[in-house]
Amino acid sequence: MATNSQLTELELTLERIREERENKREIFEAIHDGIIVFKPSLSIQNINSQAKKLLSIEANFDPAKDYLSLYKNKKTTLMFKLDTWLECIKNTNKQEPTEILVWYSDPLNLQSTPLLFSAKAMFNKNGELKNILLVIYDRSIHNEADEQKRLMQAAFNSYNGQFIANEKGYIIKSNDSFIAISGLSREALQKMTLMQWLEQQVNLKNDSNGILKSLLENKLWSGEVELHPSQDTVFHAILSISMIADKEYNIEHYIVNLQNITDIKEAHNRIEHMAFYDNLTGLANRKLAKEYITYTITNHRRHNTYGALLYININRFKTINNAFGRRVADRFLQLIAAELNKTVNIEDQIARVGGDEFLITCIDHAKSADNAAKNALKMAKKIAKALNRHFLVDGLSLHSTSRIGIKPYPDEEDTSADNLIVKADLAVSKAKEIKTNNPIYIYTPDLSSAVKSRKQLEQDLGFACQKNQVQLYYQAQMNSNQELHGAETLIRWFHPELGMISPDIFIEIAEESQQILKLGAWIMYHAFKQIKRWNKLKRDFKLSINISPIQFHDADFIPNIISIKQETGVNPKNITLELTEGILISDTEQALHKIDQLVELGFKVSIDDFGTGYSSLSYFQRLPIHELKIDKSFVSRIPKSKEDIAIIESIVHLANTKKLDIVAEGVETAEQLNFIQKQSANILVQGYYYSKPCPAQEFENQFLIK
Ligand code: C2E
Ligand code: MG
Ligand code: MG
């Protein structure tokens, strides 16, 4: 029997045990993390309410049987099987717990919670498995903090340069972009304050007081700045400084953001440049030229001075464009622009105002319009001389010449830039018309009514044949015995209002507008009929006919010439077709084939203006031609120019080795004739020395009817 005292002791012990258990239970429940104690069979021995809450389970939960919404990743694709994992842990005798991060997916609000499972097997003294203890930590708070950190990091690592300075202004953190833009090392930056950096690298358009004021008032300043990381680098940037301060205005941090806008700025400048400058040559464009002229008109009026506009047109540019293509033509224009830049005075403005048209605003302080005209004429001559040369483009030697119109200004009627440009343009049209060798024309008031615009000329040309305004002229070619050998056919256009217009002007217009195809056929038809008649008077009389490159390259050229030959019944052996070198360079094979066809038909072929242009002689050996014509520009400079003498000698040599006929054009003086005749026994001579081109009847009377 137990004594009373024994009973009391037992009661006390039981009480203590109960208390201890109760304490343990309370501690167990009070723990913030979830705890589950598993039996070796994996059924639950103990579970605290936190674990129940985290996993939404009850005490009778059995991991081997019951479904748990646990996943190995956040996206709930790979199931996490708790029983399999615990089975593994049962068999490991590790001192440290085994850990794994799993995701609990709450089916009610579709949220995933990261849970860290930490489990350990517990063994008794005999080494038998007693329990498995699983502690479940809720990591959602940690995870959120991590996410925030990652977000901050990503924001900080942006393309923009960024740094954070502390309350004293010292740079405490900077991103890679900022280091790249500033060119400063992280170490150097950390010894620097925000203000020091601003002073060292930033050209503030607003003063720094303004920045401070804005920071104090708005806690933010932003503006466009120029950044000079080194002496020869400049960036354009938008700089933003934000000040972080507490409610009592105690400054905590400064956050600085630097957006590099150099590219945007450059693009903007380029667009602005494009609006005022010609893309190809870098010269001013028409818009800028007009602004400048407007400014100079006012300026001249204010100071009672005069200046001049020079309108420059490049001859035969279209032909170069057609023969060699856009790339060569563009390069040619660039070289011309460079030549103009070298030639004009530094204060004069050069603009490109059309395909091959340039406008120079000559700054002069002349006291009268006459003096301004004289000075401008000197300048125009200088320009014409500078442009009268060969430019090398892609191995081609391209000859340029120009026409220049001068308009001195301002007179009373010169009201606007547009008005002045039109007048300078009229003067250049007149310069194109002039038959003498003078490519420069000074504007006179009567021009405005007399000169028609190119567009009008193009329209008028359309009716020229129909209205009998065109006529063939003939210029004699004489042999070394001063006897008639033949003639060259040269077209003339008698405009009802403008009088005779030179082929140098209207052939180009006809080529540009393709009217040359119709005109060329008209010329061939009438010239063929003429030679038929003249061969009756002189059997071996020869006639040359100029063929335009546009006409030659036309697909119907050969069929047309065949049908005109048949219709007129002409004998082609007395007909020489004059082609220019340019014909042969573009589409050479096709061109050579056409020349072969012409020769097969019985025609003779001559190369006109030989040596003036596109002297690529690589094709020369393959050409079935009969004749070379020495251009009048070489002959005209005889005997003064040694260079021209050398050119003529080599053309003659080349023709003799190929057994070709030679015609020297533009022989005007006895001196020139002597020189030419000394070169070779069989040279033919064509020029004003013998006769000017004249109408058929006149020619017939003078040369064919004895
Ligand atoms: P081109 O074929 O080289 O013709 C020679 C040019 O030199 C002609 O000019 C002729 O009048 C000129 N000339 C001849 N001897 C002298 C001289 O001693 N001194 C001077 N200063 N000039 C002389 P024109 O008739 O004004 O023709 C100019 C160009 O127009 C021709 O050069 C030719 O390229 C083109 N052309 C003329 N008629 C025709 C034609 O019927 N068809 C085509 N497609 N082009 C033509
Ligand atoms: Mg000719
Ligand atoms: Mg010629």
Side-chain angles (χ1 to χ4, degrees), residues 488 546 578 608-610 629-632 665:
E488 177 175 6
N546 292 289
E578 291 191 8
D608 199 2
D609 308 339
F610 189 76
K629 292 191 83 174
I630 303 172
D631 189 62
K632 63 175 182 287
E665 277 181 342

Side-chain angles (χ1 to χ4, degrees), residues 391-557:
F391 290 103
L392 260 185
V393 179
D394 275 4
L396 298 166
S397 168
L398 305 178
H399 188 224
S400 82
T401 53
S402 56
R403 305 269 168 177
I404 305 176
I406 298 174
K407 169 67 182 105
Y409 73 101
D411 60 32
E412 275 170 19
E413 282 158 18
D414 296 335
T415 46
S416 69
D418 275 327
N419 183 276
L420 272 180
I421 296 173
V422 166
K423 289 174 179 172
D425 191 7
L426 284 177
V428 84
S429 308
K430 193 71 186 169
K432 283 188 189 172
E433 243 183 62
I434 294 172
K435 278 156 252 127
T436 61
N437 223 0
N438 184 7
I440 302 168
Y441 194 87
I442 302 176
Y443 174 87
T444 47
D446 56 310
L447 265 191
S448 291
S449 52
V451 178
K452 286 207 165 197
S453 74
R454 232 177 136 78
K455 198 85 213 138
Q456 274 173 299
L457 276 186
E458 190 182 310
Q459 276 174 14
D460 294 351
L461 188 61
F463 304 101
C465 291
Q466 231 171 296
K467 293 187 175 173
N468 285 332
Q469 291 169 0
V470 285
Q471 193 181 346
L472 292 181
Y473 270 40
Y474 299 89
Q475 186 179 31
Q477 296 177 338
M478 313 294 277
N479 67 20
S480 47
N481 298 327
Q482 320 245 343
E483 294 158 350
L484 180 73
H485 166 84
E488 177 175 6
T489 314
L490 296 158
I491 191 160
R492 298 289 177 261
W493 178 17
F494 296 92
H495 191 280
E497 292 154 47
L498 305 173
M500 197 184 79
I501 302 175
S502 159
D504 270 334
I505 295 169
F506 75 83
I507 292 289
E508 193 178 323
I509 296 175
E511 284 173 343
E512 280 170 23
S513 57
Q514 299 287 311
Q515 296 188 52
I516 192 71
L517 301 179
K518 228 173 96 190
L519 189 64
W522 184 93
I523 294 166
M524 283 199 288
Y525 177 79
H526 288 88
F528 283 15
K529 281 182 63 165
Q530 191 62 65
I531 175 97
K532 244 193 113 183
R533 174 179 158 77
W534 284 344
N535 275 154
K536 285 184 191 142
L537 302 173
K538 184 174 162 37
R539 282 190 55 178
D540 59 349
F541 180 82
K542 307 272 190 283
L543 194 64
S544 294
I545 302 168
N546 292 289
I547 304 293
S548 147
I550 308 285
Q551 192 186 353
F552 177 83
H553 283 302
D554 182 52
D556 289 334
F557 176 60

